[in-house]
Amino acid sequence: MEDRDLRVLKFLTDVRIATNDNIQQAFFKGLNPNVCYRRLSYLVDCKLVKRTYFNIDGKRNIYIYYLDKKPSRKILEHDLLISKFASHLISEGYEILEFEKTPIIAGIKPDAMIKFRSNDKIKYIFLEVQLSEHDCTSKYFNIRSKVSGEIPNVLYIVTNKDIKNTKLRDLKVVIDDLNFSKVKFYFS
């Protein structure tokens, strides 16, 4: 087993599901995709990782990699965007220090809390993937008064919707598209 295999396993432990493309982007950047596929097949053969085919967007079947419970089709697109965001951070050179998917903080359940190093600065964010019309920001109103200890100071929303209510007292709100085009701008 290679060191990179251990990093892939840690990544899957954090994000819970990922595509070959997510893992390729984060850990095999610049290499032939077959290298990534062979390493993932090795991990599957060793029974360290599971995979199953899913039809994505009605256009193509792809493997989804996971460690324990088979992913739910109902939230697949949502959860893959969380994984894609994490792999995007890694591929851009950011070091993920902590990643917690769906933690519960003062009754609030963000999609993820991520602490990462950007240059020599530590960034700490709540991540929300917003694919439906419901409001994902109001639950964060006055969050600092509900929590003792360190919490993120940025609410990073990835969405394809037009979100209007973005004024929060305790958090800076960043709204980005599904391709994460603002990551370098906000975290450099």
Side-chain angles (χ1 to χ4, degrees):
M1 184 165 314
E2 298 176 6
D3 179 55
R4 186 170 38 199
D5 296 336
L6 295 173
R7 289 184 305 195
V8 169
L9 289 172
K10 169 71 169 105
F11 179 77
L12 284 170
T13 299
D14 289 344
V15 299
R16 299 192 189 134
I17 68 169
T19 64
N20 190 75
D21 289 346
N22 299 145
I23 296 167
Q24 170 80 30
Q25 180 183 24
F27 303 104
F28 298 86
K29 193 173 183 176
L31 297 175
N32 186 307
N34 288 332
V35 175
C36 179
Y37 181 76
R38 280 195 306 270
R39 294 313 303 165
L40 287 169
S41 291
Y42 168 78
L43 294 173
V44 168
D45 291 345
C46 290
K47 301 200 183 313
L48 296 169
V49 173
K50 298 174 185 175
R51 69 180 171 196
T52 198
Y53 264 121
F54 277 96
N55 185 280
I56 304 296
D57 300 329
K59 298 176 186 166
R60 61 188 179 123
N61 288 325
I62 62 169
Y63 277 127
I64 302 296
Y65 294 88
Y66 56 100
L67 298 179
D68 46 30
K69 193 173 103 178
K70 183 177 177 181
S72 164
R73 170 152 285 299
K74 183 177 178 183
I75 59 171
L76 187 65
E77 180 184 9
H78 177 272
D79 285 358
L80 285 176
L81 279 166
I82 296 168
S83 300
K84 185 177 176 185
F85 183 84
S87 67
H88 185 77
L89 284 178
I90 294 167
S91 75
E92 291 292 331
Y94 301 112
E95 175 189 2
I96 295 180
L97 304 171
E98 295 175 24
F99 186 101
E100 189 174 358
K101 190 169 178 186
T102 60
I104 299 175
I105 314 299
I108 298 168
K109 194 173 181 181
D111 291 327
M113 273 189 346
I114 308 169
K115 186 182 281 190
F116 59 96
R117 188 181 326 273
S118 167
N119 298 323
D120 285 330
K121 298 176 185 169
I122 303 295
K123 305 291 184 175
Y124 197 23
I125 68 169
F126 287 117
L127 176 66
E128 286 286 345
V129 173
Q130 185 66 36
L131 299 176
S132 68
E133 296 296 333
H134 85 279
D135 173 27
C136 71
T137 58
S138 61
K139 66 185 176 184
Y140 292 95
F141 182 76
N142 219 10
I143 189 171
R144 292 214 184 278
S145 67
K146 301 173 189 170
V147 179
S148 62
E150 183 187 24
I151 63 167
N153 59 353
V154 173
L155 172 59
Y156 201 94
I157 303 170
V158 174
T159 188
N160 57 358
K161 305 295 179 200
D162 184 25
I163 296 180
K164 301 202 186 310
N165 180 19
T166 60
K167 298 230 184 247
L168 293 175
R169 176 181 298 158
D170 298 332
L171 300 171
K172 177 179 180 178
V173 178
V174 177
I175 299 174
D176 203 352
D177 57 42
L178 300 183
N179 293 314
F180 323 118
S181 58
K182 294 182 181 178
V183 165
K184 276 199 147 185
F185 175 75
Y186 281 102
F187 299 131
S188 294

